[in-house]
């Protein structure tokens, strides 16, 4: 088992397949011109599988594929098929554009839950956020997944003044659809224009929903990062991911492998361990993994962000979401 010095067992691995993406969400990409990592510096299919097996042998039970956009990688299907053969729960977070063509692969690999990012239900605002005009494609792919009875979770990053006025519309969407909306607090990364006054907090989200609906809390799974809620009479449900105002570090079980093969023990940690170079040099990676996780800080990568109102996003020395893998 892989444990840290606070006794937290780590059995959930998030693998970023690429830092490349067919969207340009302003809150996720660095502000300056960003060069995507060249393919040769990314983990190759075989390397991903080899590393994943090391983690699975150490008790990892769940692997999430993310990015960048995991499904833009040319060999995404081969990677998904190979990982699908490992004894783990395989899940994926995607912007939803490539679902239709990838559906047979996703189903064959046994993927039963898909998280799709959708921050607005308005096509023009979608264009403003992602800088791509594919709202209807994403919406129809969500319908396709629902027809296929695949569990759909919608990730919506709530940003004050931009889409907080759509919270009610998202909740209405759950009335006749078995989807889960996951409202996410906007997080700061180097260059993503985060300011605390753009953040819409757990409490603000809840207050807004409670104005129009009866909200009941629901018990979550032990390592859940989300706080879950239901609304009587709604087929779907909603959850809030409160990284900023109510972090969930005490039960954290997650590790992140970046697309260039670096292990990060926390989204906010600025230290990383280069597993890919070690693997290519024929070195043992397990001791490196264990040391990296053992060194994990108690909360938020050791960054003092408990007073988020006073936080300077530029002072957070970290890769942006697209380069870490969300
Ligand atoms: N491209 C895929 C997608 O959009 O779902 C997977 C990668 S994306 C980095 C994973 C998740 O991180 C998305 O749901 C996205 O909305 C979220 N995300 C990115 N930047 C964020 C930020 N600054 N604060 C909160 N969530 C963020
Ligand atoms: Fe791409 Fe996802 Fe980031 Fe948007 S949130 S830029 S879709 S990686």
């Amino acid at each position: 088992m892989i444990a840290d010095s606070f006794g937290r067992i780590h059995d959930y691995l998030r693998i970023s397949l690429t830092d490349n993406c067919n969207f340009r969400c302003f809150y996720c990409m660095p502000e300056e011109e960003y060069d995507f990592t060249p393919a040769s510096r990314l983990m190759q299919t075989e390397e991903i599988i080899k590393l994943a097996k090391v983690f699975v042998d150490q008790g990892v039970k769940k692997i999430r594929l993310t990015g960048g956009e995991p499904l833009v990688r040319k060999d995404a299907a081969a990677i998904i098929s190979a990982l699908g053969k490992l004894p783990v729960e395989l899940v994926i977070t995607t912007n939803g554009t490539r679902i239709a063509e990838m559906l047979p692969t996703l189903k064959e690999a046994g993927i039963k839950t898909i998280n799709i990012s959708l921050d607005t239900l308005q096509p023009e605002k979608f264009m403003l956020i992602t800088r791509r005009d594919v709202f209807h494609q994403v919406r129809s792919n969500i319908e396709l997944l629902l027809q296929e009875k695949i569990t759909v979770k919608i990730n919506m990053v709530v940003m004050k003044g931009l889409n907080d006025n759509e919270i009610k519309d998202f909740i209405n969407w759950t009335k006749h659809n078995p989807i889960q909306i996951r409202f996410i607090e906007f997080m700061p990364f180097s260059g993503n224009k985060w300011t605390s006054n753009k953040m819409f907090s757990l409490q603000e989200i809840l207050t807004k929903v409670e104005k129009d609906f009866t909200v009941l809390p629901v018990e979550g799974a032990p390592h859940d990062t989300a706080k879950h809620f239901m609304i009587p009479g709604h087929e779907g449900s909603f959850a809030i991911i409160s990284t900023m105002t109510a972090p969930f570090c005490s039960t954290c079980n997650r590790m992140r492998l970046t697309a260039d093969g670096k292990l990060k023990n926390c989204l906010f940690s600025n230290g990383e361990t280069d597993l890919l170079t070690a693997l290519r040099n024929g070195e043992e990676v397990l001791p490196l993994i264990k040391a990296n996780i053992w060194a994990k800080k108690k909360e938020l990568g050791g960054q003092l962000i408990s007073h988020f109102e006073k936080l300077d996003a530029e002072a957070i020395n970290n890769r942006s979401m697209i380069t870490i893998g969300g």
Side-chain angles (χ1 to χ4, degrees):
M1 285 201 292
I2 305 169
D4 69 7
S5 64
F6 301 95
R8 292 174 291 197
I9 304 297
H10 286 64
D11 57 5
Y12 177 16
L13 177 66
R14 300 168 73 100
I15 305 179
S16 170
L17 294 190
T18 176
D19 58 354
N20 203 337
C21 187
N22 51 348
F23 282 13
R24 294 289 179 274
C25 307
F26 71 85
Y27 57 76
C28 174
M29 306 275 291
E31 205 172 24
E32 69 278 8
E33 202 45 43
Y34 174 67
D35 290 326
F36 296 117
T37 309
S40 63
R41 280 190 29 227
L42 296 179
M43 296 183 288
Q44 304 301 299
T45 308
E46 277 313 308
E47 293 168 333
I48 294 174
I49 309 308
K50 267 190 199 154
L51 288 173
K53 279 184 176 157
V54 175
F55 283 94
V56 172
D57 285 347
Q58 294 300 311
V60 162
K61 295 192 184 70
K62 179 171 172 181
I63 293 181
R64 177 175 301 280
L65 300 179
T66 178
E69 173 48 40
L71 299 182
V72 299
R73 217 179 128 138
K74 286 198 186 68
D75 53 357
I79 297 168
I80 292 168
S81 301
L83 291 176
K85 297 196 175 82
L86 299 181
V88 281
E89 180 193 355
L90 186 62
V91 289
I92 186 164
T93 303
T94 167
N95 64 26
T97 47
R98 301 253 162 117
I99 289 292
E101 64 253 48
M102 291 297 289
L103 194 61
T105 308
L106 298 168
K107 281 170 66 177
E108 252 175 63
I111 293 184
K112 297 194 175 56
T113 303
I114 298 190
N115 287 37
I116 297 199
S117 300
L118 186 65
D119 303 313
T120 174
L121 297 173
Q122 301 171 10
E124 317 77 53
K125 207 188 282 182
F126 182 93
M127 174 94 168
L128 195 79
I129 295 173
T130 66
R131 305 199 201 115
R132 294 294 181 266
D133 190 10
V134 290
F135 173 80
H136 296 289
Q137 187 182 333
V138 174
R139 277 296 280 112
S140 76
N141 279 336
I142 292 171
E143 290 308 317
L144 180 65
L145 291 174
L146 291 175
Q147 281 162 23
E148 293 286 336
K149 306 266 182 270
I150 291 177
T151 302
V152 177
K153 296 183 181 179
I154 303 291
N155 286 0
M156 189 249 202
V157 179
V158 190
M159 290 162 280
K160 204 173 268 177
L162 182 64
N163 59 359
D164 57 306
N165 60 346
E166 289 190 62
I167 289 175
K168 187 177 174 186
D169 300 339
F170 274 84
I171 295 287
N172 280 331
W173 193 14
T174 67
K175 176 117 178 104
H176 300 295
N177 290 286
I179 47 175
Q180 183 192 87
I181 307 293
R182 295 154 61 86
F183 297 113
I184 303 176
E185 287 181 349
F186 183 26
M187 293 185 280
F189 294 98
S190 309
N192 82 345
K193 303 193 195 87
W194 186 94
T195 53
S196 61
N197 63 0
K198 281 192 209 147
M199 206 205 60
F200 208 72
S201 68
L202 161 83
Q203 204 41 60
E204 287 172 299
I205 296 167
L206 212 46
T207 305
K208 200 155 206 162
V209 182
E210 280 169 341
K211 243 170 75 187
D212 298 296
F213 303 93
T214 304
V215 175
L216 302 176
V218 177
E219 183 94 19
H223 299 289
D224 231 332
T225 53
K227 294 179 178 57
H228 293 270
F229 303 92
M230 62 154 313
I231 294 169
H234 283 221
E235 230 183 290
S237 62
F238 78 99
I240 303 176
I241 302 179
S242 55
T243 320
M244 300 307 301
T245 61
F248 25 76
C249 304
S250 63
T251 58
C252 183
N253 64 341
R254 50 199 65 205
M255 306 171 274
R256 294 167 189 272
L257 196 51
T258 64
D260 56 355
K262 312 256 172 37
L263 182 64
K264 276 179 86 77
N265 58 28
C266 172
L267 193 51
F268 292 103
S269 70
N270 40 34
E272 12 182 86
T273 302
D274 187 351
L275 298 187
L276 181 58
T277 303
L279 185 77
R280 288 183 178 173
N281 290 340
E283 292 164 33
E284 282 282 328
V285 293
L286 184 56
L288 300 177
I289 296 171
K290 291 211 158 175
N292 175 292
I293 301 304
W294 189 258
K296 180 164 174 154
K297 298 282 196 300
K298 193 169 174 212
E299 275 183 356
L300 299 171
Q303 310 233 28
L304 290 173
I305 49 184
S306 47
H307 298 292
F308 73 90
E309 298 90 344
K310 298 193 191 98
L311 185 71
D312 172 9
E314 294 315 309
I316 292 202
N317 177 20
N318 198 4
R319 297 172 177 233
S320 54
M321 200 68 150
I322 197 156
T323 63
I324 302 170

